[in-house]
Amino acid sequence: MTLAIGFIMVIELCERVGYYTFQSTQKSWLQNQGYSNASSSSMNQVFGLLSYVSCFFGGWLAETPLGRYRTIMALVAVYVAGCFLAAIATHLGIESVPLYFVGTFFLIALGTGGIKPNVCTFGADQIDPALPDVDKRKESFFMYFYLMINVGCLIAFGFLANVATAGLPGLILADEGFFYAYMISAGLMAFALVAYISGTPWYRKESFQTNSKAVLGPCVHRLWAGRDHLLGKVALAGWALLPLLIIVSIVQAVLPSGALTTVSLVLDVLCIGCLCIAHTDNRWLGEADAMTKCLDAVPAILVGNVTFNVLYNTMSSVFYSQSCQMDTRLGSGADAMQLNGAFFNLGDALAIIIFTPLIDRCFLPVAEWLAGRKIGYDLKILTGIGFAMAAQAIAALLEYFRKQ
């Protein structure tokens, strides 16, 4: 691993520490400010929604003349500002919800959108494609990159989430936990920004190249050109519903309403249905090329990601609420330190670190030997969704017996 890649790894590690610290403690802080269990969960989900939606903006910006290097630098700086602003907003003498929302829902979410879609690509750009073992080097890079993500999870869920809600005995009072946890996150992000800029002399000059060609324009033009076809109309309806769906979801979280929840669900189904129907067969777009091949993947990406993430996101919503009904103290005394419910998300990070190599090197070869054929991505995805469904069933049973 080169020195240039090391600087980039620092950004990913620090960003994941910051993101997961805010994501795992936001619900608790909002409840402390008077938000209900349901409202705080909804707002926390909106924070995640905005963070991932902004990836469209960050990805697009990197493909403009601004370039990937400057996009990352600018939006990391935005992220740093958001962390410090949110930390100040949670200080006991301030406790400002509007200030907190500006820091997290705007600045941190925007910063995440600049980092998440670009840092891994910028890191891979540091590997010279002329090297004879380039594929092996890239495989190694992405393995270490993903490792950094999960090390960030360990720090956020295992340490900072507990500091935020319980303080640090002898050092940080429980009432000041959020402020110090967020300031630590802000400090790490500031360090990441300095590290990223410091690595500039070591980055490959090719990675500073910018794109002068339009990225989204040709795709929009191609879809619009097919508007006379029935499937073209269905596709345009599906893509048009996406921003509307995002707006309704945000409004529904801010102004809880049963009617808005129903509207959001209907829009979800319509949007997914339209896009899956329209892009299952893209011959209506004309001759097959790179663009149609890209759109061919839309149904699988939509169905797979929506199905899995509905299950996965329960870790930061209903699972978190369920943990609040449990005795998570370390010890039996009244003053014993209580673990934040997000602490149990360590199971996810540890499972990835431990089981990913075991599944890849042990379980899969045995399963393929028994089956007498290669196991494709579809079966792997379905197996993962099956385990996620089993987790929901176990959580439901646990809640059922708890209420007895």
Side-chain angles (χ1 to χ4, degrees):
M1 189 170 70
T2 66
L3 184 61
I5 290 177
F7 287 113
I8 293 165
M9 292 290 186
V10 169
I11 293 181
E12 185 61 20
L13 171 63
C14 295
E15 190 278 330
R16 289 292 88 183
V17 171
Y19 178 81
Y20 285 123
T21 297
F22 281 98
Q23 186 257 355
S24 63
T25 59
Q26 189 174 78
K27 178 178 166 64
S28 294
W29 191 79
L30 289 175
Q31 285 184 296
N32 289 349
Q33 306 310 308
Y35 280 73
S36 69
N37 182 36
S39 294
S40 59
S41 291
S42 295
M43 295 304 293
N44 186 238
Q45 293 299 310
V46 167
F47 171 62
L49 169 68
L50 292 173
S51 297
Y52 283 94
V53 166
S54 67
C55 290
F56 288 102
F57 172 73
W60 167 78
L61 195 62
E63 295 300 323
T64 66
L66 186 66
R68 188 168 287 115
Y69 170 78
R70 282 176 291 193
T71 295
I72 294 171
M73 182 168 61
L75 292 181
V76 168
V78 169
Y79 199 119
V80 172
C83 288
F84 277 112
L85 191 63
I88 292 168
T90 62
H91 191 276
L92 277 179
I94 299 174
E95 290 192 300
S96 169
V97 173
L99 200 62
Y100 180 82
F101 281 158
V102 172
T104 54
F105 284 63
F106 178 60
L107 297 177
I108 292 178
L110 183 60
T112 301
I115 297 169
K116 196 167 183 63
N118 294 316
V119 167
C120 62
T121 308
F122 189 75
D125 286 343
Q126 307 313 312
I127 301 171
D128 189 345
L131 293 171
D133 57 346
V134 62
D135 290 337
K136 185 176 180 180
R137 286 173 179 261
K138 284 190 175 182
E139 182 180 342
S140 177
F141 163 72
F142 285 113
M143 182 185 72
Y144 282 111
F145 186 85
Y146 204 61
L147 179 63
M148 288 299 101
I149 293 175
N150 288 285
V151 171
C153 289
L154 293 176
I155 296 171
F157 295 141
F159 177 64
L160 290 178
N162 293 311
V163 170
T165 53
L168 199 60
L171 293 173
I172 299 173
L173 296 175
D175 289 344
E176 298 175 337
F178 287 102
F179 173 72
Y180 281 102
Y182 294 164
M183 284 298 287
I184 291 171
S185 298
L188 286 173
M189 280 307 300
F191 172 73
L193 178 60
V194 172
Y196 178 69
I197 296 172
S198 300
T200 302
W202 288 274
Y203 301 144
R204 291 180 67 242
K205 64 178 184 297
E206 290 82 0
S207 61
F208 294 99
Q209 292 176 351
T210 60
N211 183 22
S212 58
K213 296 180 180 178
V215 178
L216 293 178
C219 186
V220 173
H221 177 76
R222 187 75 171 273
L223 289 169
W224 182 250
R227 65 189 181 278
D228 293 332
H229 195 286
L230 177 60
L231 289 178
K233 292 180 173 63
V234 174
L236 288 172
W239 291 112
L241 282 171
L242 270 177
L244 179 61
L245 176 58
I246 292 168
I247 292 170
V248 171
S249 298
I250 294 171
V251 172
Q252 188 270 331
V254 177
L255 303 170
S257 162
L260 278 176
T261 301
T262 303
V263 169
S264 179
L265 179 61
V266 171
L267 290 176
D268 266 323
V269 174
L270 285 174
C271 179
I272 295 169
C274 286
L275 293 175
C276 287
I277 291 169
H279 294 300
T280 298
D281 184 350
N282 287 296
R283 284 180 293 182
W284 58 273
L285 282 168
E287 186 179 348
D289 55 15
M291 191 172 295
T292 60
K293 288 178 181 178
C294 179
L295 292 171
D296 284 342
V298 167
I301 291 172
L302 272 177
V303 174
N305 275 283
V306 169
T307 303
F308 180 74
N309 280 294
V310 165
L311 302 173
Y312 186 82
N313 286 333
T314 56
M315 290 197 302
S316 60
S317 54
V318 292
F319 280 13
Y320 187 91
S321 297
Q322 189 175 26
S323 70
C324 292
Q325 311 305 316
M326 303 174 183
D327 185 355
T328 60
R329 291 175 298 170
L330 295 176
S332 56
D335 297 328
M337 181 178 179
Q338 185 172 6
L339 293 175
N340 184 291
F343 175 83
F344 300 101
N345 285 338
L346 283 177
D348 175 55
L350 291 173
I352 291 170
I353 293 171
I354 295 169
F355 287 105
T356 297
L358 284 176
I359 290 171
D360 186 50
R361 298 176 185 178
C362 301
F363 298 159
L364 270 179
V366 171
E368 289 175 348
W369 176 74
L370 292 173
R373 62 181 179 85
K374 292 286 290 183
I375 293 178
Y377 286 113
D378 289 345
L379 184 56
K380 293 177 184 178
I381 292 169
L382 290 172
T383 302
I385 291 173
F387 274 99
M389 291 170 64
Q392 307 298 313
I394 291 170
L397 287 172
L398 183 64
E399 186 68 5
Y400 173 79
F401 286 113
R402 183 188 71 82
K403 288 191 171 183
Q404 300 306 306

